[in-house]
Amino acid sequence: QVHVVESGGGLVQPGGSLRLSCVASGSFFSINTMGWYRRVPGKERELVAAITSDGSTNYADSVKGRFTISRDNAKNTVYLQMNSLKPEDTAVYYCNTEVVTSSWWQYDYWGQGTQVTVSS
């Protein structure tokens, strides 16, 4: 069983910053890509940023230059530093982890989501 838990969401004013964290725990061999997604009611969930096990990153165009994804492989943790936040960044943010088992099967696990609200 694998558990994925996000933290760090909240209410922030436009132009402010937040840092999201996500930790994966349980029984697995390793983690490949870890990513952050977000969903606004009535819209499809979208990729915000992702990072591979060797540190390669990918960002949505809407957050490039403002958000930074990083990870600590020893702690099975991924972070999302969000700066210069805009009202349109308001969403529920979800963490996704690609877990590899000792039998080399890969599974996707999702966290429960954390609300980020950008408002004055």
Side-chain angles (χ1 to χ4, degrees), residues 23-24 71-77:
V23 59
R71 66 190 280 175
D72 184 333
N73 290 331
K75 296 181 179 180
N76 298 321
T77 300

Side-chain angles (χ1 to χ4, degrees), residues 10-49:
L11 172 64
V12 64
Q13 292 186 343
S17 298
L18 281 176
R19 188 193 195 207
L20 305 183
S21 299
C22 168
V23 59
S25 61
S27 179
F28 51 85
F29 178 73
S30 64
I31 300 175
N32 286 339
T33 299
M34 303 182 82
W36 288 97
Y37 291 73
R38 66 187 181 188
R39 180 156 57 192
V40 176
K43 293 188 177 181
E44 295 287 324
R45 182 167 54 193
E46 64 172 352
L47 173 68
V48 176

Side-chain angles (χ1 to χ4, degrees), residues 58-73:
N58 180 40
Y59 294 92
D61 288 341
S62 59
V63 306
K64 284 180 180 177
R66 300 188 298 122
F67 291 10
T68 302
I69 190 170
S70 61
R71 66 190 280 175
D72 184 333
N73 290 331

Side-chain angles (χ1 to χ4, degrees), residues 26-112:
S27 179
F28 51 85
F29 178 73
S30 64
I31 300 175
N32 286 339
T33 299
M34 303 182 82
W36 288 97
Y37 291 73
R38 66 187 181 188
R39 180 156 57 192
V40 176
K43 293 188 177 181
E44 295 287 324
R45 182 167 54 193
E46 64 172 352
L47 173 68
V48 176
I51 183 168
T52 64
S53 57
D54 63 359
S56 297
T57 58
N58 180 40
Y59 294 92
D61 288 341
S62 59
V63 306
K64 284 180 180 177
R66 300 188 298 122
F67 291 10
T68 302
I69 190 170
S70 61
R71 66 190 280 175
D72 184 333
N73 290 331
K75 296 181 179 180
N76 298 321
T77 300
V78 63
Y79 306 97
L80 185 68
Q81 178 66 44
M82 304 185 294
N83 298 328
S84 302
L85 282 161
K86 303 175 181 180
E88 51 264 42
D89 294 317
T90 296
V92 178
Y93 284 70
Y94 297 90
C95 175
N96 173 267
T97 61
E98 294 178 354
V99 167
V100 179
T101 71
S102 58
S103 301
W104 298 104
W105 290 99
Q106 179 172 299
Y107 298 94
D108 274 357
Y109 286 91
W110 293 88
Q112 81 288 350

